[in-house]
PDB file of all heavy atoms in Angstrom:
ATOM      1  N   GLY W  77     -61.057 135.407  92.952  1.00 96.00           N
ATOM      2  CA  GLY W  77     -60.506 134.080  92.730  1.00 96.00           C
ATOM      3  C   GLY W  77     -60.461 133.268  94.001  1.00 96.00           C
ATOM      4  O   GLY W  77     -61.096 133.611  95.008  1.00 96.00           O
ATOM      5  N   VAL W  78     -59.715 132.168  93.972  1.00 97.00           N
ATOM      6  CA  VAL W  78     -59.616 131.248  95.095  1.00 97.00           C
ATOM      7  C   VAL W  78     -58.371 131.583  95.913  1.00 97.00           C
ATOM      8  O   VAL W  78     -57.277 131.756  95.364  1.00 97.00           O
ATOM      9  CB  VAL W  78     -59.552 129.788  94.605  1.00 97.00           C
ATOM     10  CG1 VAL W  78     -59.394 128.835  95.783  1.00 97.00           C
ATOM     11  CG2 VAL W  78     -60.819 129.440  93.817  1.00 97.00           C
ATOM     12  N   TYR W  79     -58.540 131.655  97.238  1.00 97.00           N
ATOM     13  CA  TYR W  79     -57.452 131.977  98.142  1.00 97.00           C
ATOM     14  C   TYR W  79     -57.381 130.936  99.257  1.00 97.00           C
ATOM     15  O   TYR W  79     -58.382 130.292  99.587  1.00 97.00           O
ATOM     16  CB  TYR W  79     -57.643 133.373  98.726  1.00 97.00           C
ATOM     17  CG  TYR W  79     -57.515 134.471  97.691  1.00 97.00           C
ATOM     18  CD1 TYR W  79     -58.618 134.915  96.979  1.00 97.00           C
ATOM     19  CD2 TYR W  79     -56.280 135.041  97.415  1.00 97.00           C
ATOM     20  CE1 TYR W  79     -58.496 135.916  96.009  1.00 97.00           C
ATOM     21  CE2 TYR W  79     -56.145 136.037  96.459  1.00 97.00           C
ATOM     22  CZ  TYR W  79     -57.254 136.465  95.762  1.00 97.00           C
ATOM     23  OH  TYR W  79     -57.132 137.454  94.805  1.00 97.00           O
ATOM     24  N   SER W  80     -56.193 130.802  99.850  1.00 96.00           N
ATOM     25  CA  SER W  80     -55.944 129.758 100.832  1.00 96.00           C
ATOM     26  C   SER W  80     -55.708 130.331 102.223  1.00 96.00           C
ATOM     27  O   SER W  80     -54.995 131.324 102.391  1.00 96.00           O
ATOM     28  CB  SER W  80     -54.725 128.930 100.411  1.00 96.00           C
ATOM     29  OG  SER W  80     -54.417 127.952 101.378  1.00 96.00           O
ATOM     30  N   ILE W  81     -56.327 129.698 103.206  1.00 97.00           N
ATOM     31  CA  ILE W  81     -56.130 130.035 104.615  1.00 97.00           C
ATOM     32  C   ILE W  81     -55.506 128.826 105.303  1.00 97.00           C
ATOM     33  O   ILE W  81     -55.970 127.692 105.124  1.00 97.00           O
ATOM     34  CB  ILE W  81     -57.463 130.392 105.295  1.00 97.00           C
ATOM     35  CG1 ILE W  81     -58.080 131.628 104.633  1.00 97.00           C
ATOM     36  CG2 ILE W  81     -57.269 130.621 106.792  1.00 97.00           C
ATOM     37  CD1 ILE W  81     -59.511 131.871 105.022  1.00 97.00           C
ATOM     38  N   ILE W  82     -54.460 129.047 106.087  1.00 96.00           N
ATOM     39  CA  ILE W  82     -53.794 127.971 106.807  1.00 96.00           C
ATOM     40  C   ILE W  82     -53.705 128.331 108.282  1.00 96.00           C
ATOM     41  O   ILE W  82     -53.187 129.394 108.647  1.00 96.00           O
ATOM     42  CB  ILE W  82     -52.378 127.709 106.266  1.00 96.00           C
ATOM     43  CG1 ILE W  82     -52.435 127.275 104.798  1.00 96.00           C
ATOM     44  CG2 ILE W  82     -51.672 126.640 107.101  1.00 96.00           C
ATOM     45  CD1 ILE W  82     -51.071 127.049 104.170  1.00 96.00           C
ATOM     46  N   ALA W  83     -54.247 127.439 109.127  1.00 95.00           N
ATOM     47  CA  ALA W  83     -54.113 127.582 110.576  1.00 95.00           C
ATOM     48  C   ALA W  83     -53.120 126.539 111.065  1.00 95.00           C
ATOM     49  O   ALA W  83     -53.250 125.354 110.757  1.00 95.00           O
ATOM     50  CB  ALA W  83     -55.455 127.389 111.259  1.00 95.00           C
ATOM     51  N   THR W  84     -52.117 126.986 111.813  1.00 95.00           N
ATOM     52  CA  THR W  84     -51.123 126.082 112.385  1.00 95.00           C
ATOM     53  C   THR W  84     -51.432 125.885 113.863  1.00 95.00           C
ATOM     54  O   THR W  84     -51.543 126.861 114.617  1.00 95.00           O
ATOM     55  CB  THR W  84     -49.708 126.646 112.213  1.00 95.00           C
ATOM     56  OG1 THR W  84     -49.458 126.895 110.829  1.00 95.00           O
ATOM     57  CG2 THR W  84     -48.673 125.667 112.736  1.00 95.00           C
ATOM     58  N   LEU W  85     -51.573 124.631 114.274  1.00 93.00           N
ATOM     59  CA  LEU W  85     -51.874 124.320 115.660  1.00 93.00           C
ATOM     60  C   LEU W  85     -50.584 124.213 116.467  1.00 93.00           C
ATOM     61  O   LEU W  85     -49.486 124.166 115.913  1.00 93.00           O
ATOM     62  CB  LEU W  85     -52.683 123.033 115.740  1.00 93.00           C
ATOM     63  CG  LEU W  85     -53.944 122.972 114.864  1.00 93.00           C
ATOM     64  CD1 LEU W  85     -54.732 121.710 115.161  1.00 93.00           C
ATOM     65  CD2 LEU W  85     -54.808 124.213 115.049  1.00 93.00           C
ATOM     66  N   ALA W  86     -50.728 124.181 117.782  1.00 90.00           N
ATOM     67  CA  ALA W  86     -49.567 124.216 118.663  1.00 90.00           C
ATOM     68  C   ALA W  86     -48.639 123.023 118.455  1.00 90.00           C
ATOM     69  O   ALA W  86     -47.425 123.121 118.683  1.00 90.00           O
ATOM     70  CB  ALA W  86     -50.019 124.281 120.122  1.00 90.00           C
ATOM     71  N   ASP W  87     -49.183 121.878 118.025  1.00 88.00           N
ATOM     72  CA  ASP W  87     -48.345 120.691 117.837  1.00 88.00           C
ATOM     73  C   ASP W  87     -47.729 120.618 116.441  1.00 88.00           C
ATOM     74  O   ASP W  87     -47.092 119.631 116.086  1.00 88.00           O
ATOM     75  CB  ASP W  87     -49.144 119.421 118.120  1.00 88.00           C
ATOM     76  CG  ASP W  87     -50.296 119.219 117.147  1.00 88.00           C
ATOM     77  OD1 ASP W  87     -50.475 120.071 116.245  1.00 88.00           O
ATOM     78  OD2 ASP W  87     -51.029 118.224 117.277  1.00 88.00           O
ATOM     79  N   GLY W  88     -47.939 121.682 115.653  1.00 90.00           N
ATOM     80  CA  GLY W  88     -47.364 121.728 114.312  1.00 90.00           C
ATOM     81  C   GLY W  88     -48.276 121.242 113.216  1.00 90.00           C
ATOM     82  O   GLY W  88     -47.975 121.429 112.030  1.00 90.00           O
ATOM     83  N   SER W  89     -49.396 120.607 113.555  1.00 91.00           N
ATOM     84  CA  SER W  89     -50.342 120.180 112.530  1.00 91.00           C
ATOM     85  C   SER W  89     -51.067 121.397 111.963  1.00 91.00           C
ATOM     86  O   SER W  89     -51.114 122.464 112.584  1.00 91.00           O
ATOM     87  CB  SER W  89     -51.341 119.176 113.094  1.00 91.00           C
ATOM     88  OG  SER W  89     -52.073 119.736 114.165  1.00 91.00           O
ATOM     89  N   ILE W  90     -51.598 121.247 110.770  1.00 92.00           N
ATOM     90  CA  ILE W  90     -52.239 122.382 110.110  1.00 92.00           C
ATOM     91  C   ILE W  90     -53.635 122.028 109.629  1.00 92.00           C
ATOM     92  O   ILE W  90     -53.964 120.859 109.384  1.00 92.00           O
ATOM     93  CB  ILE W  90     -51.400 122.909 108.924  1.00 92.00           C
ATOM     94  CG1 ILE W  90     -51.293 121.844 107.823  1.00 92.00           C
ATOM     95  CG2 ILE W  90     -50.036 123.377 109.379  1.00 92.00           C
ATOM     96  CD1 ILE W  90     -50.649 122.373 106.560  1.00 92.00           C
ATOM     97  N   VAL W  91     -54.448 123.065 109.535  1.00 93.00           N
ATOM     98  CA  VAL W  91     -55.796 122.966 108.973  1.00 93.00           C
ATOM     99  C   VAL W  91     -55.868 124.007 107.868  1.00 93.00           C
ATOM    100  O   VAL W  91     -55.531 125.171 108.084  1.00 93.00           O
ATOM    101  CB  VAL W  91     -56.882 123.248 110.029  1.00 93.00           C
ATOM    102  CG1 VAL W  91     -58.269 123.023 109.446  1.00 93.00           C
ATOM    103  CG2 VAL W  91     -56.676 122.395 111.268  1.00 93.00           C
ATOM    104  N   THR W  92     -56.286 123.599 106.678  1.00 93.00           N
ATOM    105  CA  THR W  92     -56.351 124.551 105.566  1.00 93.00           C
ATOM    106  C   THR W  92     -57.756 124.658 105.023  1.00 93.00           C
ATOM    107  O   THR W  92     -58.560 123.716 105.108  1.00 93.00           O
ATOM    108  CB  THR W  92     -55.411 124.142 104.414  1.00 93.00           C
ATOM    109  OG1 THR W  92     -55.951 123.011 103.748  1.00 93.00           O
ATOM    110  CG2 THR W  92     -54.022 123.826 104.936  1.00 93.00           C
ATOM    111  N   GLN W  93     -58.051 125.807 104.476  1.00 94.00           N
ATOM    112  CA  GLN W  93     -59.339 126.014 103.814  1.00 94.00           C
ATOM    113  C   GLN W  93     -59.156 126.986 102.664  1.00 94.00           C
ATOM    114  O   GLN W  93     -58.388 127.943 102.766  1.00 94.00           O
ATOM    115  CB  GLN W  93     -60.383 126.568 104.795  1.00 94.00           C
ATOM    116  CG  GLN W  93     -61.726 126.835 104.126  1.00 94.00           C
ATOM    117  CD  GLN W  93     -62.853 126.973 105.126  1.00 94.00           C
ATOM    118  OE1 GLN W  93     -62.823 126.402 106.200  1.00 94.00           O
ATOM    119  NE2 GLN W  93     -63.850 127.761 104.764  1.00 94.00           N
ATOM    120  N   LYS W  94     -59.846 126.710 101.591  1.00 95.00           N
ATOM    121  CA  LYS W  94     -59.815 127.603 100.434  1.00 95.00           C
ATOM    122  C   LYS W  94     -61.163 128.300 100.319  1.00 95.00           C
ATOM    123  O   LYS W  94     -62.212 127.694 100.544  1.00 95.00           O
ATOM    124  CB  LYS W  94     -59.501 126.826  99.153  1.00 95.00           C
ATOM    125  CG  LYS W  94     -58.092 126.233  99.137  1.00 95.00           C
ATOM    126  CD  LYS W  94     -57.771 125.590  97.806  1.00 95.00           C
ATOM    127  CE  LYS W  94     -56.405 124.939  97.822  1.00 95.00           C
ATOM    128  NZ  LYS W  94     -55.318 125.917  98.054  1.00 95.00           N
ATOM    129  N   ILE W  95     -61.128 129.583  99.986  1.00 95.00           N
ATOM    130  CA  ILE W  95     -62.363 130.338  99.800  1.00 95.00           C
ATOM    131  C   ILE W  95     -62.330 131.027  98.443  1.00 95.00           C
ATOM    132  O   ILE W  95     -61.266 131.361  97.927  1.00 95.00           O
ATOM    133  CB  ILE W  95     -62.580 131.382 100.918  1.00 95.00           C
ATOM    134  CG1 ILE W  95     -61.435 132.395 100.955  1.00 95.00           C
ATOM    135  CG2 ILE W  95     -62.739 130.707 102.263  1.00 95.00           C
ATOM    136  CD1 ILE W  95     -61.699 133.554 101.895  1.00 95.00           C
ATOM    137  N   TYR W  96     -63.506 131.190  97.901  1.00 96.00           N
ATOM    138  CA  TYR W  96     -63.639 131.891  96.622  1.00 96.00           C
ATOM    139  C   TYR W  96     -64.136 133.296  96.891  1.00 96.00           C
ATOM    140  O   TYR W  96     -65.170 133.502  97.556  1.00 96.00           O
ATOM    141  CB  TYR W  96     -64.607 131.168  95.698  1.00 96.00           C
ATOM    142  CG  TYR W  96     -64.885 131.919  94.419  1.00 96.00           C
ATOM    143  CD1 TYR W  96     -63.931 131.976  93.400  1.00 96.00           C
ATOM    144  CD2 TYR W  96     -66.092 132.584  94.219  1.00 96.00           C
ATOM    145  CE1 TYR W  96     -64.166 132.680  92.233  1.00 96.00           C
ATOM    146  CE2 TYR W  96     -66.343 133.285  93.043  1.00 96.00           C
ATOM    147  CZ  TYR W  96     -65.376 133.327  92.060  1.00 96.00           C
ATOM    148  OH  TYR W  96     -65.616 134.025  90.906  1.00 96.00           O
ATOM    149  N   VAL W  97     -63.403 134.290  96.404  1.00 96.00           N
ATOM    150  CA  VAL W  97     -63.791 135.693  96.527  1.00 96.00           C
ATOM    151  C   VAL W  97     -64.358 136.146  95.186  1.00 96.00           C
ATOM    152  O   VAL W  97     -63.657 136.126  94.166  1.00 96.00           O
ATOM    153  CB  VAL W  97     -62.601 136.572  96.925  1.00 96.00           C
ATOM    154  CG1 VAL W  97     -63.046 138.025  97.085  1.00 96.00           C
ATOM    155  CG2 VAL W  97     -61.974 136.063  98.215  1.00 96.00           C
ATOM    156  N   ALA W  98     -65.626 136.508  95.184  1.00 97.00           N
ATOM    157  CA  ALA W  98     -66.320 136.859  93.947  1.00 97.00           C
ATOM    158  C   ALA W  98     -66.123 138.335  93.597  1.00 97.00           C
ATOM    159  O   ALA W  98     -65.823 139.158  94.467  1.00 97.00           O
ATOM    160  CB  ALA W  98     -67.810 136.552  94.085  1.00 97.00           C
ATOM    161  N   PRO W  99     -66.299 138.686  92.337  1.00 97.00           N
ATOM    162  CA  PRO W  99     -66.216 140.098  91.934  1.00 97.00           C
ATOM    163  C   PRO W  99     -67.345 140.910  92.560  1.00 97.00           C
ATOM    164  O   PRO W  99     -68.432 140.384  92.818  1.00 97.00           O
ATOM    165  CB  PRO W  99     -66.358 140.042  90.410  1.00 97.00           C
ATOM    166  CG  PRO W  99     -66.090 138.626  90.036  1.00 97.00           C
ATOM    167  CD  PRO W  99     -66.528 137.789  91.189  1.00 97.00           C
ATOM    168  N   ARG W 100     -67.093 142.164  92.802  1.00 96.00           N
ATOM    169  CA  ARG W 100     -68.118 143.090  93.306  1.00 96.00           C
ATOM    170  C   ARG W 100     -68.674 143.905  92.154  1.00 96.00           C
ATOM    171  O   ARG W 100     -67.915 144.457  91.350  1.00 96.00           O
ATOM    172  CB  ARG W 100     -67.519 144.030  94.355  1.00 96.00           C
ATOM    173  CG  ARG W 100     -68.487 145.130  94.819  1.00 96.00           C
ATOM    174  CD  ARG W 100     -67.821 146.081  95.785  1.00 96.00           C
ATOM    175  NE  ARG W 100     -67.580 145.465  97.065  1.00 96.00           N
ATOM    176  CZ  ARG W 100     -68.434 145.489  98.093  1.00 96.00           C
ATOM    177  NH1 ARG W 100     -69.606 146.101  97.966  1.00 96.00           N
ATOM    178  NH2 ARG W 100     -68.123 144.908  99.233  1.00 96.00           N
ATOM    179  N   GLU W 101     -69.972 143.985  92.068  1.00 93.00           N
ATOM    180  CA  GLU W 101     -70.589 144.901  91.107  1.00 93.00           C
ATOM    181  C   GLU W 101     -70.379 146.326  91.616  1.00 93.00           C
ATOM    182  O   GLU W 101     -70.577 146.612  92.797  1.00 93.00           O
ATOM    183  CB  GLU W 101     -72.073 144.599  90.966  1.00 93.00           C
ATOM    184  CG  GLU W 101     -72.376 143.249  90.333  1.00 93.00           C
ATOM    185  CD  GLU W 101     -73.862 143.033  90.140  1.00 93.00           C
ATOM    186  OE1 GLU W 101     -74.644 143.974  90.416  1.00 93.00           O
ATOM    187  OE2 GLU W 101     -74.245 141.925  89.730  1.00 93.00           O
ATOM    188  N   LYS W 102     -69.985 147.212  90.725  1.00 91.00           N
ATOM    189  CA  LYS W 102     -69.695 148.591  91.107  1.00 91.00           C
ATOM    190  C   LYS W 102     -70.558 149.541  90.277  1.00 91.00           C
ATOM    191  O   LYS W 102     -70.116 150.077  89.261  1.00 91.00           O
ATOM    192  CB  LYS W 102     -68.209 148.898  90.911  1.00 91.00           C
ATOM    193  CG  LYS W 102     -67.289 148.021  91.748  1.00 91.00           C
ATOM    194  CD  LYS W 102     -65.830 148.277  91.419  1.00 91.00           C
ATOM    195  CE  LYS W 102     -64.908 147.342  92.168  1.00 91.00           C
ATOM    196  NZ  LYS W 102     -63.498 147.510  91.780  1.00 91.00           N
ATOM    197  N   PRO W 103     -71.794 149.737  90.706  1.00 91.00           N
ATOM    198  CA  PRO W 103     -72.662 150.660  89.964  1.00 91.00           C
ATOM    199  C   PRO W 103     -72.075 152.062  89.963  1.00 91.00           C
ATOM    200  O   PRO W 103     -71.396 152.481  90.913  1.00 91.00           O
ATOM    201  CB  PRO W 103     -73.982 150.608  90.729  1.00 91.00           C
ATOM    202  CG  PRO W 103     -73.635 150.080  92.070  1.00 91.00           C
ATOM    203  CD  PRO W 103     -72.467 149.184  91.891  1.00 91.00           C
ATOM    204  N   GLN W 104     -72.315 152.778  88.897  1.00 91.00           N
ATOM    205  CA  GLN W 104     -71.808 154.138  88.750  1.00 91.00           C
ATOM    206  C   GLN W 104     -72.977 155.096  88.796  1.00 91.00           C
ATOM    207  O   GLN W 104     -73.885 155.028  87.972  1.00 91.00           O
ATOM    208  CB  GLN W 104     -71.045 154.271  87.433  1.00 91.00           C
ATOM    209  CG  GLN W 104     -70.269 155.571  87.299  1.00 91.00           C
ATOM    210  CD  GLN W 104     -69.185 155.488  86.244  1.00 91.00           C
ATOM    211  OE1 GLN W 104     -68.514 154.473  86.121  1.00 91.00           O
ATOM    212  NE2 GLN W 104     -69.020 156.560  85.484  1.00 91.00           N
TER     213      GLN W 104
END
Side-chain angles (χ1 to χ4, degrees):
V78 178
Y79 293 90
S80 177
I81 298 167
I82 298 178
T84 304
L85 308 187
D87 64 0
S89 60
I90 64 172
V91 185
T92 72
Q93 178 163 331
K94 294 186 183 298
I95 60 172
Y96 174 74
V97 182
R100 174 184 289 269
E101 293 183 5
K102 299 175 184 176
Q104 190 161 320

